[in-house]
Structures are given as structure tokens and as C-alpha cells.
Amino acid sequence: MSRHPSSGAGTLLAGGLAAAAARAAYAGLNQRPPGGPEAWARTNHRGEPVTLLEGPAAAAGAAAVSLIAPGLPARSRAALALAGAGAAAFGAYDDLKGSGDRRGFRAHLGALAGGEVTSGAVKIVGIGATGLAASVLVGAGQGAGGGSAADVVINTGLIAGGANLLNLFDLRPGRAIKVVLAAGAALGVAPAGAAGAAAPVGAALSVLPEDLGERAMLGDSGANALGGMLGAAAAAALPRAARVTVLAAIVGLTAASEKVSFTRVIERTPP
């Protein structure tokens, strides 16, 4: 595959294919949900019944299409797929095994320091390892700076941090997907960024009606996967200065989330 930026047509094709794949996966998972429908059933903030199957469906569609996305080096395509699949797997583990009693890095790492291995701690370590592997795969991508040790650290932070940050917004219908669309639009300024973001954005758009209709939600599996893939897209496309800036924003927002409720801030800010 050529290393030149994709055309607008190629980006649209990748987004459309990811949307179709995610819808097909969602239909299939609803027909035969792994472990039965009860394992994926939850109630949302209003007490309405929702399913978490939207998340694995969006992740599967985005990761699969990223493997064939036009306009990206083979290593970048592989990194995108690995970031999505790995984050989806560890997110699904937390969805199915987590109790919800502990939230945030501080709670899970505090429990781990006390000898208790929570599902959230497993997810943190797993997504961190996935982010590192995907960062190494990005290597000398268009924005990866030649794969130096510093770039590997930066890119790992983008992938793992992006996975975690998007999940923090999955508390109200459509909110996390809106963040995906905003991040995809920002990455779209660079042609390579648009190519990398096409699959996660397309998959997210395809399940937006289910999310807004309060029939389903991304859950950890979907939010972690889409956030990780956007981080991988940034790692492959942006110059180092831009990547450091994005990483600083991710770290700052993640740290703030330990003290401040994003939901309360959003509700107090009508725009």
C-alpha cells in the first residue's frame, strides 16, 4: 500500500465500509449474543434498559476495516486494528466482569496496591500493553518520528490515554460518539489523519441512532476501542509537537476527571 495520503474518496469508502460492518456485526450479535442477552443488559442514567452490544459491534467494524483502509502504510493499518481489537477485548472483560464499585485510575490502582486485582486494573494494564504494541507497530509512520524511544512513549500515551478518555464521556446518550466525531474532524485536517480516523468515525456514526434512542450504549468495549483507534490515528499522522500537545490535553483531562464530574460541567454549560 502506498504511503501517500488517501484521497477523499478513499476516506469516505473506509468510513462507509466501517459503518456497514458495524451495523452487520450489531445485528449478528443481537441475534446470538455471547453469553446470552442478560450478560450485556444494563440500565442507563434514567433507568432505561440498554444493551452493551453496540460497543463490540462498533469496535469490530472499525478494526476490521482499518486493516484495508486506503492511503495508510501497512504498519499504521495494523496498529489501528490492534489498538481497536485489544482495547475492545479488555473493555469487554471489564464490562462483563466489573462491578462498577470502583471508578477511575486512583480507585483501581489503590485496590491493586492493597492486593486486590479488579477488572478495571486488568483493563488498565491490558490497554497499556496494547497501546505499547500498537505504538511499536506505528514505528516510522508519517507522524511517528522514526520510532524513537520518545516517540514510542508519546504514542503509547496517545493510544492508551485516548482509549481511557473517551470512556469517561460514555455516561449520556450519544456523548462519547459526539467526541469521536469531533476528534475525527480535528484529525481530518491532515489527510493521513483523516484516513486513520475514517473507520472509527464511520463505525461510531452507524450506531449513533441506537445510542441516542437509548436502546444501546458503547460501554467500555466500544468506547475504549474507538478512543484507542483515534489515538493510533493521531500517532501515525501528527508531527511530534502536535502529538505532545494532544497527549498533554489527554493527561490533563484524565487527571481532572478524578476530581471533577464532566457530566456536571457539561450540564452547567448549555453550549
Side-chain angles (χ1 to χ4, degrees), residues 135 139 143-158 235 238-240 243:
S135 177
S148 69
D151 286 298
V152 169
V153 171
I154 294 166
N155 294 342
T156 299
L158 287 174
L238 301 180
R240 181 183 286 183
R243 284 181 287 125

Side-chain angles (χ1 to χ4, degrees), residues 7-141:
S7 65
T11 298
L12 289 174
L13 175 62
L17 288 174
R23 290 305 306 183
Y26 184 66
L29 287 170
N30 272 288
Q31 288 181 354
R32 302 184 67 176
E38 296 81 10
W40 303 90
R42 300 291 186 275
T43 54
N44 67 7
H45 69 291
R46 296 197 306 111
E48 296 294 324
V50 296
T51 178
L52 297 179
L53 290 171
E54 170 189 309
V65 171
S66 288
L67 286 171
I68 59 171
L72 291 172
R75 292 172 67 104
S76 294
R77 297 198 306 269
L80 280 163
L82 177 60
F90 286 108
Y93 175 80
D94 198 24
D95 278 334
L96 297 175
K97 300 297 184 181
S99 65
D101 293 336
R102 292 183 175 89
R103 294 182 180 276
F105 277 106
R106 180 181 300 178
H108 290 297
L109 295 180
L112 189 61
E116 180 185 358
V117 180
T118 65
S119 63
V122 172
K123 185 182 75 168
I124 290 170
V125 173
I127 290 180
T130 295
L132 174 59
S135 177
V136 171
L137 267 176
V138 168

